[in-house]
Amino acid sequence: MAPMGIRLSPLGMAVFCLLGLGVLYHLYSGFLAGRFAFFMLSEPAAGGPDSPRGSAPAGAVDLRELLAVSVLAAARGGEEVKRVREGNVLNAKAKGKTREGAEEKLTSGDLLSNRRMFYLLKGAFPAVQINSEERVDIADQETVSWDRSIPEEIKQKIQPKEVPAESVTVWIDPLDATQEYTEDLRQYVTTMVCVAVNGKPVIGVIHKPFSAYTAWAMVDGGSNVKARSSYNEKTPRIIVSRSHAGKVEQVARQTFGNKTVIIPAGGAGYKVLALLDVAEKNQEEADVYIHVTYIKKWDICAGNAVLRALGGHMTTLTGEEISYTGSDGNEGGLIASINMNHKALIEKLPDLEKTSHK
């Protein structure tokens, strides 16, 4: 007798497989759904601490983070400025003339510092408007990343503060005092970053590349620098541009007396630092900073922010606040002071405003 065999029909096999799949689905669907939910909850929320834009939600900027990257940008730009100067590869050339007819120079230090600073800031905060003294060449784009770390000193002194990204304008001066830079007068050279919110300067960073000194301050926040405590309003020491010393000296001596000291210096950043308590052997001290002609906003915005944060003032020669929106130039000259009667100073120098539009 032949052995008996069992034949399974294709239909029976299909039914058996479907039943098996149904059992497996019920067993594991709950597990998979739970794992999926856990995965979704574990993802950082938009704007969370691990998101590309840091702690601020989309469309917002954390000023503490912007201060931290501004300090880093000024230092990184300063590295380029120092490297070019010490290597004596300035490649200096004329880029135009000032309103007074003086030749404006451009060096490799300006361009390389500008590239490093601009792309670091733009990479960290792409939604923020950035105005720089030098032209940014898209063909020469550089990827400069920020690891989003905030120095402990800033963490301790500054609280997070969010503002709308569209209200922020960043002003970069990649090399202040280029003329002095070409003359190897290194003490006057700075790199600067300023953050303005709705046209008002709120963050200022002034970095001296050749001594690695950095002053920073945030309005209604904190700073790593302070004002000097000793001043003499009757015979102040007035710091001015080297090219303008003659214009200011005559009026200043007529106003304050023959004992008034005029200090010719280069660079707006250096002149603001002269008003502060700066532990720098090559930093002169002054009571008032005066500029009597047209000046660009990237030259003065950082200093203006630092002074405001410390209770000081920087205005036009007629006492008007300087807005850091719109055009890149300030037509009304400037006078800056701290811990002094700023209004009284303006009233004593009425004649200087006449020369500020020349």
Side-chain angles (χ1 to χ4, degrees), residues 40-60:
M40 292 301 291
L41 290 171
S42 299
E43 285 290 294
D50 296 326
S51 69
R53 289 303 307 269
S55 59

Side-chain angles (χ1 to χ4, degrees), residues 176 188 190 192 204-206 208 213 215-217 225-228 231 239-240 265-278 283-291 295 298-310 312-314 324 334-338:
D176 189 39
Y188 297 127
T190 62
M192 296 187 286
V205 179
I206 304 174
K208 299 184 78 171
Y213 173 81
W216 59 260
V225 66
K226 58 184 180 180
R228 289 187 297 106
Y231 297 91
I239 193 163
V240 299
Y270 178 90
K271 297 184 188 81
V272 169
L273 291 178
L275 306 181
L276 308 177
D277 185 4
V278 176
Q283 179 65 60
E284 295 167 282
E285 295 182 352
D287 302 311
V288 181
Y289 165 28
I290 294 177
H291 187 87
I295 191 169
W298 42 67
D299 290 317
I300 59 176
C301 187
N304 198 340
V306 171
L307 289 173
R308 286 187 70 225
L310 298 175
H313 302 274
M314 179 184 288
Y324 294 90
L334 71 85
I335 179 168
S337 68
I338 189 166

